Amino acid sequence: MARAGLLKDKSCTLVHQCCTTFAELYPNITLQENLYTITDNLLTSAGGTATLDMLLYLIGQDHGRDFAHHVSQQFLQERIRTSQEIQTTPGRYYLSLRLQHARKMIEKPT
C-alpha cells in the first residue's frame, strides 16, 4: 500500500518486526503502535489476533456489538480489543524475560 502511494498523508499499523525497515523505506508515513488502524477505506493491523479484533470491530459497526460479541465467542476470544490498545512488543517481552533471569541469578545462593 505504501509503495502504491495509498498511505500518503495517512497513518498505519504494522507487525512490530517490520516497523524499522518500513520507517526507513517510508519516513513520511506515520506508524502507529496500536493494534489496528482504520483510515477511510484502508485497514492495517499488527497481524495475528489484532486483525481479528479489527474485523470484529467492523462486524460490530455493520451488525451491532452483540452480534460481534457472538462471533468473537466462536473464536474463544475473551473480549474484543479496541484500536486504541497498544500492541505488546517482542522487545518488551524479551527484556522482561532477561530481567527475570537476572533476578534469579542474583537471588541464587552461591
Side-chain angles (χ1 to χ4, degrees):
M1 289 191 316
R3 191 178 311 152
L6 297 174
L7 295 175
K8 185 178 179 184
D9 300 322
K10 299 189 185 329
S11 62
C12 67
T13 299
L14 295 176
V15 175
H16 182 2
Q17 294 89 335
C18 300
C19 289
T20 303
T21 303
F22 185 89
E24 289 173 6
L25 292 172
Y26 306 100
N28 296 325
I29 298 174
T30 304
L31 288 173
Q32 302 293 330
E33 291 184 349
N34 53 337
L35 293 178
Y36 59 90
T37 302
I38 300 174
T39 306
D40 301 327
N41 60 345
L42 298 173
L43 311 171
T44 57
S45 78
T49 58
T51 305
L52 178 59
D53 289 304
M54 179 177 62
L55 294 175
L56 290 167
Y57 166 79
L58 293 171
I59 289 169
Q61 293 295 299
D62 290 345
H63 303 286
R65 292 179 64 189
D66 287 340
F67 184 75
H69 177 71
H70 289 298
V71 174
S72 74
Q73 289 179 331
Q74 297 300 308
F75 291 97
L76 303 176
Q77 196 167 357
E78 290 180 24
R79 65 184 182 89
I80 301 171
R81 298 176 296 173
T82 68
S83 66
Q84 290 80 27
E85 293 184 53
I86 303 297
Q87 55 180 298
T88 303
T89 62
R92 290 181 191 158
Y93 173 74
Y94 291 119
L95 176 61
S96 172
L97 288 179
R98 281 187 249 143
L99 289 173
Q100 288 175 16
H101 179 70
R103 222 178 272 129
K104 286 179 185 175
M105 294 299 290
I106 291 169
E107 294 170 354
K108 194 177 199 181
T110 54

